[in-house]
Amino acid sequence: QLQLVESGGGLVQPGGSLRLSCAASGSDFSAYAMGWYRQAPGKQRELVATITSGGSTNYADSVKGRFTITRDIVKNILTLQMNSLKPEDTAVYYCNAEREIFPRFNYWGQGTQVTVSS
């Protein structure tokens, strides 16, 4: 069992920056691929960025060059550095963990609100 808790969301002006964190507990998350997803009102949840246990990263085209996903294996913390924020980045951001070994469990955090507005 893995518990995920997001933090760091808030209100920021266009062009500003935010750093989201996801604290994992209950299991060793070094065996999980981790990711950030987001969901705006009335829209489906979409991928933002992922990082494997080996450090391989993947980003949605809409955030490439602006967002950076990292993980601290020792502290069991996943982060998302968001720069040059745009109003269209406004959404609830969710932390996700998918086990890379069998059984392939999948977990979600409760989400943190990010609002980009002037």
Side-chain angles (χ1 to χ4, degrees):
Q1 184 69 36
L2 187 66
Q3 292 81 46
L4 305 173
V5 180
E6 303 95 334
S7 63
L11 175 64
V12 64
Q13 294 183 326
S17 299
L18 281 175
R19 187 175 181 86
L20 305 183
S21 296
C22 173
S25 62
S27 297
D28 181 2
F29 92 155
S30 63
Y32 290 77
M34 305 291 293
W36 288 97
Y37 293 73
R38 66 187 182 187
Q39 186 168 23
K43 297 184 178 180
Q44 293 186 326
R45 189 171 299 185
E46 64 176 353
L47 173 82
V48 176
T50 60
I51 183 167
T52 68
S53 61
S56 179
T57 59
N58 184 56
Y59 297 90
D61 288 342
S62 60
V63 307
K64 286 181 179 178
R66 300 189 298 121
F67 292 8
T68 303
I69 186 170
T70 57
R71 65 192 299 172
D72 186 324
I73 300 298
V74 175
K75 296 182 178 180
N76 285 1
I77 295 176
L78 176 75
T79 63
L80 182 69
Q81 178 65 48
M82 305 186 294
N83 299 325
S84 302
L85 283 162
K86 305 174 181 179
E88 51 263 44
D89 294 319
T90 296
V92 177
Y93 283 70
Y94 297 91
C95 178
N96 172 262
E98 182 179 7
R99 205 165 185 251
E100 293 178 329
I101 59 176
F102 296 105
R104 295 182 181 271
F105 296 128
N106 190 281
Y107 303 94
W108 293 91
Q110 291 295 310
T112 184
Q113 177 71 49
V114 172
T115 302
V116 184
S117 176
S118 60

